[in-house]
Amino acid sequence: MRHPNPLLETLLPILPAIAANAEQAERERTVPAENIALLKSIGFHRAFQPKPYGGKEISLPEFADCVAALAGACASTAWAASLLATHSHQIALFSARLQEEVWGKDRDATASSSIAPLGRAEAADGGVLLSGEMGWSSGCDHAEWAILGFRRPGPDGEPQYCFGVVPRADYQIRDDWHAAGMQGSGTKTLLVDKVFVPEHRIEAAKDMMEGRSAGFGLYPDSKIFYAPYRPYFASGFAAISLGVAERMLQVFKERSRNRIRAYTGAQVGAALPAYMRLAESTHQVLAARALLEASWRDHAEHGAAQRYPTAETLAFWRTNQAYAVKMCIQAVDRLFESMGGNCWRLENEAQRLFRDAHMTGAHAYTDYDVCAQILGRSLLGLEPDPSMV
């Protein structure tokens, strides 16, 4: 049963304009400014922003439904814009001082990220000096801040995985995004060179997963911030895969109804293989949606009850998403491989959906080879393998 979703209701009318810009996004290798403006006009970027700064604090199921719908119009836009939105949830777990710096004067401010610990940190008085080439920063052209990953010695002297938040003036963007999938996401590289990051802009990743970060508990009445950062940060990947697969079902049906084989004149839509492929892919996409919706509801219920997830719950949340992505990719492949040579032409939407579907499975979070090991260890009561993040 679907529940009211005010953000989705305001999103649906602008989707045709965003879809019309999909080719422009791929051509320019970044999300068009018009798309970002349209999304900001409905407050999409405020989905997980704290209410005191004008945010909506909507539930994860509401947000994920919006991301899936947006992905059906333009997956690249959905990829970048969803990350710009989910990063606000992470920022809300940082210190109050950092949040005031980000949103105090600009409530529309967003952050991109490069969260893999690629940065090199040198100890400095009151913080660190951060340097490095920080890749994979989707949507960075439209962000005012960046969340960057690095390691530094922890209290026990061992390397500690941390995040530092850096303003736009402190980094450069290298325009190096040339990819087969999510071509319009603007997933570029950020360059930092001995940038000072003060302690109030730094949090340990483990603390942000275990309810010990400086901002944890700042919003006691919230239904979304009594939670680790990562499930919210990564929520968009599977939602995008689902939206792409649902759109491919529509494209396949539209094409099959009118498609005639060039050499025989046979009507493809009336042929047994076409509707058998459609049936199986439909079931697979429905199953993916059901699995994801159950996980998203579980997220929301934990947050509303201020019940912190157990390690087993976190393992299921993550791996459910990866398995749903796997199903969505399979569903898309089954349809695309039978759609004929014309669908490989660059002006055909189907080839873009095919490419983008596979990109949703390429992220470290949705790698099912890793996720199967994570869940398997959890089910057998084994300790988590720290090499599988």
Side-chain angles (χ1 to χ4, degrees):
M1 183 177 67
R2 293 297 178 90
H3 296 280
N5 189 340
L7 184 59
L8 182 61
E9 292 174 6
T10 60
L11 174 67
L12 293 177
I14 67 173
L15 291 183
I18 290 174
N21 290 336
E23 289 188 16
Q24 178 189 346
E26 291 210 319
R27 187 170 60 251
E28 297 178 353
R29 298 175 294 105
T30 191
V31 179
E34 180 186 0
N35 289 8
I36 296 296
L38 285 168
L39 291 169
K40 284 196 168 185
S41 74
I42 64 168
F44 182 88
H45 62 304
R46 296 181 182 273
F48 295 144
Q49 185 180 26
K51 287 181 179 179
Y53 289 106
K56 295 179 178 292
E57 292 189 29
I58 68 173
S59 70
L60 188 57
E62 290 175 279
F63 179 72
D65 265 345
C66 291
V67 174
L70 180 57
C74 176
S76 288
T77 296
W79 189 276
S82 66
L83 285 167
L84 294 178
T86 59
H87 290 147
S88 292
H89 184 278
Q90 187 173 0
I91 289 173
L93 299 178
F94 275 79
S95 68
R97 182 177 174 187
L98 178 275
Q99 293 180 50
E100 183 63 20
E101 289 174 343
V102 173
W103 293 313
K105 294 182 180 179
D106 182 5
R107 294 189 169 194
D108 286 321
T110 57
S112 67
S113 73
S114 177
I115 66 165
L118 303 175
R120 302 184 305 277
E122 302 174 35
D125 187 20
V128 300
L129 295 176
L130 188 61
S131 301
E133 299 182 0
M134 314 297 293
W136 307 99
S137 192
S138 302
C140 59
D141 291 322
H142 305 288
E144 291 75 28
W145 295 77
I147 304 170
L148 306 180
F150 63 95
R151 286 192 173 93
R152 67 172 177 175
D156 59 359
E158 294 297 314
Q160 185 180 51
Y161 180 14
C162 295
F163 301 118
V165 182
V166 176
R168 178 65 186 86
D170 286 353
Y171 59 87
Q172 295 179 320
I173 298 175
R174 178 191 288 160
D175 185 4
D176 58 0
W177 182 241
H178 302 274
M182 299 295 169
Q183 289 184 354
S185 64
T187 303
K188 302 175 182 179
T189 299
L190 309 184
L191 307 177
V192 287
D193 184 16
K194 295 187 182 299
V195 170
F196 178 66
V197 186
E199 288 294 340
H200 71 274
R201 295 182 187 170
I202 298 173
E203 290 292 339
K206 190 174 177 65
D207 290 346
M208 302 195 87
M209 287 297 294
E210 298 180 354
R212 297 195 304 269
S213 65
F216 187 78
L218 282 178
Y219 306 104
D221 297 326
S222 175
K223 295 182 178 181
I224 67 169
F225 295 126
Y226 197 88
Y229 85 93
R230 192 179 294 154
Y232 281 82
F233 159 76
S235 62
F237 305 139
I240 293 166
S241 197
L242 176 64
V244 168
E246 290 178 334
R247 176 59 187 160
M248 182 61 103
L249 292 174
Q250 296 173 352
V251 170
F252 184 86
K253 285 187 282 188
E254 293 165 3
R255 177 169 172 76
S256 296
R257 286 193 188 102
N258 302 313
R259 184 182 169 201
I260 304 296
R261 293 199 180 278
Y263 290 95
T264 65
Q267 186 176 351
V268 174
L272 186 66
Y275 53 78
M276 288 181 66
R277 286 175 181 268
L278 178 61
E280 187 172 2
S281 286
T282 297
H283 272 133
Q284 208 161 18
V285 174
L286 288 172
R289 177 172 274 282
L291 178 60
L292 288 172
E293 287 183 343
S295 292
W296 295 332
R297 284 195 303 272
D298 201 28
H299 281 74
E301 289 166 3
H302 273 74
Q306 294 200 343
R307 187 170 72 253
Y308 215 75
T310 64
E312 182 181 26
T313 297
L314 286 171
F316 269 109
W317 285 355
R318 168 161 182 191
T319 60
N320 286 353
Q321 290 198 64
Y323 192 71
V325 168
K326 180 179 180 179
M327 286 196 289
C328 287
I329 293 172
Q330 290 174 346
V332 167
D333 285 355
R334 184 180 299 107
L335 299 178
F336 186 71
E337 68 186 13
S338 72
M339 292 178 75
N342 275 330
C343 283
W344 285 93
R345 298 177 66 90
L346 292 179
E347 67 270 19
N348 194 297
E349 181 184 3
Q351 56 80 31
R352 173 164 50 84
L353 295 171
F354 171 77
R355 291 185 284 107
D356 288 344
H358 279 267
M359 194 62 149
T360 65
H363 195 280
Y365 199 83
T366 56
D367 183 336
Y368 192 70
D369 285 346
V370 171
C371 287
Q373 295 176 70
I374 290 173
L375 183 59
R377 292 182 68 89
S378 176
L379 293 172
L380 290 174
L382 300 176
E383 288 296 315
D385 184 341
S387 70
M388 296 177 188
V389 178

